[in-house]
Amino acid sequence: MRMRSAMGGRAYNCNGGFTNSYMLLNPEEVKFWDLLRLLFSSNLKKRRFVDSSHAREHNFWHRFFIFLSIVVLKLLRFFDKPLALLGFFLEFSLNFLSINGSFSGILLNFLRLKLKIPDSSSAEYLSLIGHLDSRVTLDKSIKPGDVNYFGALCMMASKLVYENEAHVTQIVNNIWKMEYLGFFNFWNDYQEKCSTQAFMMRDKKVDHDTIIVSFRGTEPFNADDWSSDFDISWYEIEGIGKIHGGFMKALGLQKCLGWPKEIERHDHERHPLAYYALREKLRELMKENEQTRFVVTGHSLGGALAILFPSILVFHKEKLLLERLEGVYTFGQPRVGDAKFGEFMVKSLSQYKIRYYRFVYGFDIVPRLPLDDKALMFKHFGPCIYFDWNYVAQVLEEEPFKNYFSIVGAVLMRIHACLEIGRSFTIAWRRGKEYEERVFLRIVRLFGLLLPGIPAHCPQDYVNSTRLGSTNRYHHNEYDVKIQ
């Protein structure tokens, strides 16, 4: 891998023995006309914003997606602060409204000189995700030992991780009555800031002692998260396959070094990297009790990090942790690697008897990206646990309309969006008051008529799926996963 020098743009070798096959995007190096030439020239060596081990790219559509990725990454960088400001304003407004009761409550508190101002670090403060679905209690009808217990628990943990540390701590300790083990902000060596979050908790009952590691997904107004999603750089690890570069960077890939098995402790303490910090914490916890197991989970981008975490454990031959890894639960997870990577993971998961459950709700757009075609080469692996609009579960080889873009799919997706809007007004009396949807979520659902698949990605439907969907069937042949 070559990195650009800060002086003069001169390239120098920075491979570190990590990989000799890669394609890296450098948005900061791009010039408009140079970017435009990419569409008409296969010579990647002449493009300063693409650092590739392959001199030429003859596939036009692959060059087009590089072009598109660079444009999006540049726009995200340009609108980073305005996007964050818009997100803060919307989030603050929703919290301001909720803590004062309503618009009339704001007026009344103002007249009483008792107007409440939200504190973004308090346990009562909710993220945008929290306002879409404010449920914090676990489903009492799903007991420890039930086949779908960890699926439902992991989805709630995947939703909870979007909140601030004070809120996470309060819910884990006081509502769920579990052991809170820490909330973490991890360094991204390429973005040069902390942009990856996760938390850990321990669910200890008479019949099990399980650590849950939950990665945060893409926050709606966080440009760094979106940059990780849209960065279609890739790295090929020998014997493993090609892996999405943006996700690897978020997990803890190091500049010039890649994935060394161990890292300098003082660097790790100053800039904790997700994979290494979590691995170290898990090593300590596993030593305390031989019966302790752990699962990793996440929604959206968090799901991508959850399934990549064990892949690096295998790369580093972390036998102890792999043997204690009970399962990986992902919700609305995007594709993370090519067919070779899928075959590697199928073999590894089977070898260590690790359960992998990939939940997909309806026409959620994210599991259908990046595209599974000749241009982008990304593939899912393992069975898809698919839930339709009525939360009926099926085990499929791949979600319907796997690449999202389809004339027939576009019609069906909008019909599906209409059904979801109608269901929003009836689900509370059909399923129970805890399934009632708020005005904010109903407004988001309306966007499904214009951009179907966006509202379907919200955690609300994944929580409902794990609670209402019949999931007994996917526990049969649970290690029989395959590449699609």
Side-chain angles (χ1 to χ4, degrees):
M1 173 173 62
R2 296 174 308 179
M3 303 300 297
R4 298 285 179 184
S5 168
M7 300 179 63
R10 181 170 58 87
Y12 59 92
N13 189 282
C14 193
N15 214 7
F18 167 52
T19 179
N20 292 315
S21 181
Y22 54 88
M23 191 280 291
L24 308 180
L25 303 184
N26 303 308
E28 66 276 4
E29 299 282 347
V30 73
K31 304 296 181 185
F32 176 75
W33 291 112
D34 195 28
L35 178 62
L36 204 59
R37 289 189 190 99
L38 174 68
L39 298 176
F40 306 99
S41 171
S42 65
N43 192 340
L44 296 183
K45 292 298 181 183
K46 290 186 177 181
R47 310 281 83 84
R48 294 185 63 186
F49 57 86
V50 181
D51 190 4
S52 176
S53 58
H54 305 285
R56 292 186 176 274
E57 176 52 68
H58 296 287
N59 188 313
F60 168 79
W61 287 108
H62 196 183
R63 298 201 308 274
F64 173 77
F65 284 118
I66 292 174
F67 171 90
L68 187 63
S69 181
I70 287 288
V71 169
V72 172
L73 291 174
K74 289 293 287 185
L75 288 173
L76 286 169
R77 183 166 297 187
F78 182 78
F79 289 106
D80 182 3
K81 292 183 178 178
L83 195 63
L85 187 61
L86 175 61
F88 174 78
F89 175 77
L90 180 57
E91 195 172 86
F92 184 89
S93 299
L94 289 169
N95 279 280
F96 185 57
L97 183 63
S98 64
I99 67 170
N100 285 285
S102 61
F103 287 107
S104 58
I106 292 173
L107 179 60
L108 186 61
N109 286 344
F110 176 77
L111 295 174
R112 292 175 174 175
L113 301 179
K114 293 182 178 180
L115 196 63
K116 300 176 183 177
I117 305 300
D119 176 3
S120 61
S121 63
S122 72
E124 289 71 35
Y125 194 90
L126 290 178
S127 68
L128 291 173
I129 300 296
H131 280 283
L132 286 172
D133 182 3
S134 61
R135 289 174 291 184
V136 295
T137 57
L138 302 177
D139 189 335
K140 294 180 180 179
S141 67
I142 302 176
K143 307 293 184 181
D146 292 351
V147 292
N148 53 347
Y149 173 74
F150 279 110
L153 176 60
C154 283
M155 183 54 229
M156 288 298 288
S158 297
K159 184 172 78 78
L160 182 62
V161 73
Y162 284 100
E163 308 304 326
N164 64 40
E165 183 175 5
H167 186 86
V168 172
T169 306
Q170 175 179 283
I171 299 304
V172 172
N173 287 336
N174 301 332
I175 306 298
W176 296 356
K177 306 298 182 182
M178 296 180 187
E179 183 183 354
Y180 172 74
L181 297 175
F183 187 96
F184 310 95
N185 281 293
F186 297 120
W187 184 258
N188 185 316
D189 216 18
Y190 291 78
Q191 295 178 351
E192 298 185 339
K193 62 176 74 172
C194 288
S195 57
T196 300
Q197 290 76 33
F199 86 92
M200 295 176 66
M201 66 180 186
R202 178 183 238 129
D203 177 24
K204 193 169 184 179
K205 301 289 191 298
V206 175
D207 59 341
H208 69 266
D209 179 3
T210 308
I211 308 295
I212 289 89
V213 180
S214 179
F215 288 97
R216 180 182 290 180
T218 302
E219 296 180 276
F221 293 91
N222 188 311
D224 294 325
D225 288 347
W226 287 110
S227 294
S228 294
D229 296 332
F230 280 96
D231 181 0
I232 63 167
S233 301
W234 55 263
Y235 301 83
E236 183 170 14
I237 303 177
E238 186 177 356
I240 295 180
K242 295 177 181 176
I243 308 177
H244 189 288
F247 300 152
M248 292 185 75
K249 295 169 186 177
L251 187 61
L253 183 75
Q254 297 178 79
K255 285 182 180 178
C256 304
L257 298 175
W259 291 112
K261 184 164 185 177
E262 305 294 341
I263 58 176
E264 294 289 337
R265 179 167 289 273
H266 67 277
D267 290 336
H268 181 55
E269 290 174 350
R270 185 172 71 252
H271 293 145
L273 301 167
Y275 167 78
Y276 294 99
L278 293 171
R279 186 188 65 176
E280 184 175 332
K281 181 75 172 176
L282 286 167
R283 281 173 173 174
E284 295 172 358
L285 291 167
M286 295 304 113
K287 290 177 181 177
E288 293 176 2
N289 184 352
E290 291 184 358
Q291 303 304 314
T292 302
R293 299 289 185 268
F294 73 99
V295 299
V296 288
T297 189
H299 167 261
S300 189
L301 167 62
L305 301 182
I307 191 56
L308 284 179
F309 183 77
S311 74
I312 307 303
L313 289 178
V314 176
F315 179 56
H316 287 158
K317 296 180 173 62
E318 293 284 345
K319 185 178 178 182
L320 172 64
L321 292 182
L322 289 165
E323 289 178 344
R324 307 282 278 278
L325 176 54
E326 188 76 14
V328 179
Y329 294 79
T330 72
F331 306 88
Q333 171 213 313
R335 297 182 177 101
V336 298
D338 67 356
K340 185 177 179 181
F341 174 76
E343 291 167 359
F344 167 81
M345 287 303 295
V346 167
K347 180 180 178 181
S348 300
L349 294 171
S350 178
Q351 177 184 350
Y352 291 101
K353 293 182 169 54
I354 299 169
R355 301 178 179 91
Y356 172 41
Y357 303 125
R358 183 172 67 85
F359 293 79
V360 175
Y361 166 76
F363 287 109
D364 182 352
I365 186 175
V366 175
R368 295 167 170 88
L369 298 173
L371 299 182
D372 175 359
D373 61 10
K374 293 180 180 179
L376 288 181
M377 58 75 185
F378 289 95
K379 294 276 187 183
H380 276 308
F381 60 91
C384 164
I385 303 162
Y386 178 78
F387 296 87
D388 66 14
W389 74 276
N390 203 30
Y391 306 121
V392 175
Q394 303 176 68
V395 180
L396 305 176
E397 290 190 1
E398 181 67 273
E399 53 271 12
F401 302 100
K402 67 177 184 178
N403 279 332
Y404 184 75
F405 301 104
S406 162
I407 295 176
V408 176
V411 174
L412 291 177
M413 289 175 191
R414 284 169 173 81
I415 293 174
H416 205 279
C418 291
L419 292 172
E420 289 173 336
I421 293 170
R423 185 193 62 199
S424 178
F425 291 92
T426 63
I427 192 170
W429 64 262
R430 288 193 302 112
R431 300 288 194 172
K433 188 170 177 59
E434 66 269 24
Y435 295 97
E436 183 177 4
E437 297 187 3
R438 296 184 174 187
V439 174
F440 183 40
L441 179 57
R442 288 174 180 169
I443 292 172
V444 172
R445 289 206 185 279
L446 290 174
F447 282 99
L449 300 174
L450 179 65
L451 292 171
I454 302 297
H457 188 58
C458 296
Q460 173 89 16
D461 286 317
Y462 281 97
V463 173
N464 290 353
S465 295
T466 57
R467 295 185 178 196
L468 299 173
S470 175
T471 56
N472 292 330
R473 70 184 72 180
Y474 72 72
H475 285 266
H476 299 291
N477 301 320
E478 56 196 13
Y479 303 121
D480 183 22
V481 295
K482 57 184 177 180
I483 189 75
Q484 278 114 39

